[in-house]
Amino acid sequence: MSLAKRHAVVTGSTSGIGLAIARALAKEGADVMINGFGDAKAIEAGRVGIEKDFGVKAFYNGADMSKGADVEAMIADANAKMGTVDILVNNAGIQHVSPIEEFPLEKWDAIIAINLSSAFHTIRAAVPGMKAQKWGRIINTASAHSLVASPFKSAYVSAKHGLAGLTKTVALELATFGVTANCISPGYVWTPLVENQIPDTMKARRMTREQVINDVMLVAQPTKQFVTVDQVASLAVYLCSDAASQITGANLSIDGGWTAA
Ligand code: NAD
């Protein structure tokens, strides 16, 4: 297994893409720390499931990614429980869909904190360990919205463009330390995050559910298919491999052709 003895932290991994990435890294032999919100029993079942399915150690830290001090404490906890964090996946994210003049201030603040600032805090805390061992992988789940915009997603598009910039900066700073930093930028992936934005998009655009799926979401994807969480997770595993050691500062699209248009 290619990632045996590696220690990974995946933020926002109680659900969706993050959970798929945590499981895929564990399948390759990495110990993992998962993070995120949800029903305590379901989270514990997910953690135990990783240990049972892949024979690795799995930990859970419930740090709120909107709170910088808690985020940095989570990395310290991971270093203490697993050993140096050498794979860091910044994946936690939320969405809110609203015209800008009605965009709630607290939603703006939460999206910037969770989708952008949390990555600054985890990277800041994890980089000393990676630099010292001259190996590390930082993977940020950005989005097609780190490259292009859509109306009614001002905070999300701003945060994801910011995350792409942070990734490039960190890649340059760490280029000679064996540490890569890259963005994975999915198009629409069928997860609870997508499911949950359908009602607000129906309201903002005065559309039916079917119209939102076909005319807003899949209209952007030339393949007319949703990306799967396992496809995103496979790309994350690849970025952790030695074959990907010269890929850094990249923003890798996995979007059914969306951003080619
Ligand atoms: P999801 O809602 O299934 O998962 C989000 C995860 O983040 C959950 O584990 C949730 O508990 C966690 N989370 C939310 N707020 C948190 C907080 N304050 N602190 C800690 N954890 C928190 O969504 P997903 O679709 O799997 O999204 C994962 C990432 O992928 C996000 O960054 C999202 O922007 C990005 N993304 C998703 C899509 C898509 O179509 N689903 C497309 C492009 C990018």
Side-chain angles (χ1 to χ4, degrees):
M1 292 199 288
S2 60
L3 298 178
K5 301 204 174 82
R6 296 292 183 201
H7 313 126
V9 173
V10 185
T11 73
S13 48
T14 52
S15 163
I17 294 169
L19 181 57
I21 292 176
R23 288 183 58 83
L25 296 174
K27 191 175 180 192
E28 292 301 315
D31 292 336
V32 294
M33 178 171 275
I34 59 170
N35 157 264
F37 297 155
D39 172 66
K41 278 190 188 151
I43 292 172
E44 179 58 9
R47 186 194 69 76
V48 171
I50 291 173
E51 291 194 333
K52 279 201 183 136
D53 291 347
F54 307 118
V56 299
K57 287 188 194 147
F59 301 91
Y60 169 69
N61 184 301
D64 181 343
M65 291 298 110
S66 69
K67 300 192 167 75
D70 294 8
V71 176
E72 299 209 13
M74 179 189 68
I75 297 298
D77 185 38
N79 281 331
K81 290 199 171 115
M82 297 192 288
T84 301
V85 173
D86 31 31
I87 298 170
L88 170 64
V89 183
N90 291 301
N91 173 80
I94 59 167
Q95 175 64 284
H96 185 78
V97 180
S98 165
I100 191 150
E101 67 274 26
E102 292 163 19
F103 211 94
L105 295 181
E106 66 276 12
K107 291 285 182 196
W108 171 273
D109 288 344
I111 290 174
I112 298 299
I114 295 165
N115 296 19
L116 174 58
S117 301
S118 72
F120 163 73
H121 291 293
T122 55
I123 292 169
R124 189 170 173 275
V127 154
M130 293 180 178
K131 266 176 134 172
Q133 68 180 12
K134 290 214 166 256
W135 198 92
R137 293 288 188 268
I138 298 168
I139 299 169
N140 297 324
T141 310
S143 165
H145 283 122
S146 73
L147 296 162
V148 295
S150 295
F152 311 121
K153 296 185 175 178
S154 52
Y156 189 87
V157 170
S158 302
K160 295 296 187 181
H161 274 66
L163 187 59
L166 172 67
T167 307
K168 289 195 274 191
T169 309
V170 169
L172 295 179
E173 289 185 30
L174 301 177
T176 57
F177 290 91
V179 180
T180 68
N182 294 289
C183 284
I184 293 179
S185 283
Y188 280 102
V189 187
W190 191 255
T191 69
L193 182 140
V194 165
E195 176 71 40
N196 294 339
Q197 66 187 274
I198 291 176
D200 284 345
T201 309
M202 286 167 65
K203 211 168 109 193
R205 293 183 182 250
R206 298 198 172 95
M207 285 178 162
T208 65
R209 180 183 166 84
E210 287 63 38
Q211 283 173 321
V212 170
I213 291 175
N214 294 316
D215 301 344
V216 178
M217 294 177 169
L218 293 183
V219 77
Q221 285 186 195
T223 58
K224 302 296 171 211
Q225 291 177 34
F226 284 97
V227 181
T228 70
V229 293
D230 290 335
Q231 289 169 336
V232 179
S234 297
L235 184 51
V237 168
Y238 171 68
L239 286 173
C240 293
S241 71
D242 290 338
S245 68
Q246 293 304 311
I247 301 177
T248 195
N251 191 343
L252 301 167
S253 294
I254 176 164
D255 63 6
W258 174 349
T259 51

